[in-house]
Amino acid sequence: LELAEVNSLPYEEFIKRFGGAVEHGALVAGAVWSRRPFTSIDKLCAAFMDFLDKLPIEGKEGVIRLYPDLAGHLAHSGSLTAESTQEHKAAGLDTLTSEERATMAELNERYKTKFGFPFVICARENKKEAIINGLEVRIGNHASAEVETGLGEVKKICDLRLRDIVTDSTPKL
Amino acid sequence: LELAEVNSLPYEEFIKRFGGAVEHGALVAGAVWSRRPFTSIDKLCAAFMDFLDKLPIEGKEGVIRLYPDLAGHLAHSGSLTAESTQEHKAAGLDTLTSEERATMAELNERYKTKFGFPFVICARENKKEAIINGLEVRIGNHASAEVETGLGEVKKICDLRLRDIVTDSTPKL
């Protein structure tokens, strides 16, 4: 999709196209539409990030709760969103051994019990070993810091997904 | 669902049950989970209202953009959510004459062109004549006031949907 086309989308179409930039995030896309026109892809991404940053703490937690457990039940049953399926593959999470899957499942549960939201990490920027290691380290964090860390990963994932959707071939001066 | 059960739901289940209280509002339900336990249905409803009230203006617009056009394309093709389908029926919007439907469609388009979000009204509290009349009146409003009016209707719809889901048979003192 060209940036000029993005700027001309009615909100219904904008939400259809960008409602998955944040997982199950139709509300986020609907809000960001208010900021158009976007003069660059960077500005479009920044509008998403800014909306997420300005949410109250429970809103940030709510956003993180929209994400599936990594290599969890939804992944195993083939019920992930198209975006998450691709990202799982990029990290090698579709080829876990049963031992690795059991480790992930146990760490995910411990993480969720402690924080009340799932462990989110940008799978396209990490391989499975780094992800399991990240889980082990982040379980030790304080809850308040971990909301921001999780939201930071949500933002990285969102940025990459947006750049998958939009191209900008406007000639630069 | 009993209130005590609501308070014991993990966030995944809470979002499944309450993600439609605000249309396509998984994020809202995910955020409200942070406020549990709820000591009454009123407190549960208040937590949803409070979250909506505290959103920045573009967030409120984003919420309103999650709603379908009343008696619009989605209704005509049977693609509404279960909740919206029921509410359309309650208002008699499923039995519009082709003339009434054309009037609604034209008013909806004028409204959306002016405000950049759809006309939302609590259909269970209005009949089709009042709805068409409301559209005609509200098109004349200022944009800033109309966001709050639309959000007020979102909140009424949300409140009724929540009370459809939850019962509280805790003995009162």
Side-chain angles (χ1 to χ4, degrees):
Chain A
L1 204 63
E2 280 286 337
L3 189 64
E5 296 173 87
V6 172
N7 285 324
S8 68
L9 291 177
Y11 68 81
E12 294 98 326
E13 287 302 313
F14 189 89
I15 292 173
K16 261 187 217 157
R17 296 293 191 123
F18 295 103
V22 168
E23 190 89 350
H24 304 298
L27 197 165
V28 181
V32 166
W33 189 82
S34 294
R35 304 279 192 94
R36 78 200 188 294
F38 306 101
T39 54
S40 67
I41 298 180
D42 287 349
K43 290 277 169 60
L44 172 70
C45 293
F48 275 82
M49 308 301 124
D50 186 59
F51 181 76
L52 294 171
D53 281 333
K54 286 184 176 156
L55 285 172
I57 180 86
E58 73 262 30
K60 291 176 180 175
E61 292 171 347
V63 166
I64 298 172
R65 290 183 188 121
L66 300 173
Y67 286 76
D69 289 1
L70 275 179
H73 169 67
L74 289 177
H76 204 51
S77 64
S79 313
L80 292 176
T81 61
E83 292 90 340
S84 280
T85 303
Q86 212 177 359
E87 288 155 2
H88 268 66
K89 276 194 187 158
L93 290 172
D94 58 334
T95 61
L96 292 182
T97 64
S98 56
E99 201 181 347
E100 287 169 329
R101 190 170 11 246
T103 304
M104 284 284 295
E106 193 230 316
L107 289 169
N108 276 332
E109 282 311 312
R110 280 177 47 209
Y111 184 98
K112 290 199 286 184
T113 301
K114 174 165 178 181
F115 297 114
F117 49 77
F119 174 75
V120 176
I121 191 166
C122 181
R124 279 154 82 176
E125 293 184 349
N126 292 278
K127 290 295 170 193
K128 61 183 181 182
E129 295 77 15
I131 290 172
I132 293 174
N133 186 254
L135 245 171
E136 285 169 341
V137 169
R138 281 171 50 190
I139 283 178
N141 286 351
H142 285 288
S144 57
E146 193 54 20
V147 176
E148 293 302 332
T149 303
L151 192 77
E153 297 297 318
V154 165
K155 287 157 67 178
K156 283 185 212 170
I157 298 166
C158 178
D159 187 273
L160 290 170
R161 289 182 181 178
L162 290 170
R163 291 173 200 276
D164 283 342
I165 302 171
V166 186
T167 51
D168 180 9
S169 56
T170 315
K172 297 287 176 296
L173 293 179
Chain B
L1 204 61
E2 279 286 339
L3 190 64
E5 296 175 87
V6 172
N7 285 324
S8 68
L9 291 177
Y11 68 80
E12 293 98 326
E13 287 303 314
F14 189 89
I15 292 173
K16 261 185 217 159
R17 297 291 192 125
F18 296 103
V22 168
E23 190 90 349
H24 304 297
L27 197 165
V28 180
V32 166
W33 189 82
S34 294
R35 304 279 192 93
R36 78 199 187 296
F38 307 101
T39 54
S40 67
I41 298 182
D42 288 348
K43 289 278 169 61
L44 172 70
C45 293
F48 275 82
M49 308 301 126
D50 187 59
F51 181 77
L52 294 172
D53 280 333
K54 285 183 176 157
L55 284 173
I57 179 86
E58 72 264 29
K60 292 177 181 175
E61 292 171 347
V63 166
I64 299 173
R65 289 184 188 120
L66 300 173
Y67 286 75
D69 289 2
L70 276 178
H73 169 67
L74 289 177
H76 204 51
S77 64
S79 313
L80 292 177
T81 61
E83 292 90 339
S84 281
T85 302
Q86 213 177 359
E87 289 155 2
H88 268 66
K89 276 193 187 157
L93 290 173
D94 58 333
T95 60
L96 293 181
T97 64
S98 56
E99 201 180 347
E100 287 169 327
R101 189 170 11 246
T103 304
M104 284 285 292
E106 194 230 316
L107 289 168
N108 275 333
E109 281 311 311
R110 277 176 49 208
Y111 183 98
K112 291 199 287 183
T113 301
K114 174 166 179 182
F115 297 114
F117 50 78
F119 174 75
V120 176
I121 190 165
C122 181
R124 279 154 81 177
E125 293 183 350
N126 292 278
K127 291 292 170 195
K128 63 182 181 181
E129 296 76 13
I131 290 173
I132 293 173
N133 187 253
L135 245 171
E136 284 169 342
V137 170
R138 282 171 52 190
I139 283 178
N141 285 353
H142 283 286
S144 56
E146 192 55 21
V147 176
E148 293 301 332
T149 303
L151 193 76
E153 297 296 319
V154 165
K155 286 157 69 179
K156 284 186 212 169
I157 298 166
C158 178
D159 187 273
L160 290 170
R161 290 182 182 179
L162 289 171
R163 292 172 200 276
D164 284 341
I165 302 171
V166 186
T167 51
D168 181 8
S169 55
T170 315
K172 296 289 176 295
L173 295 179

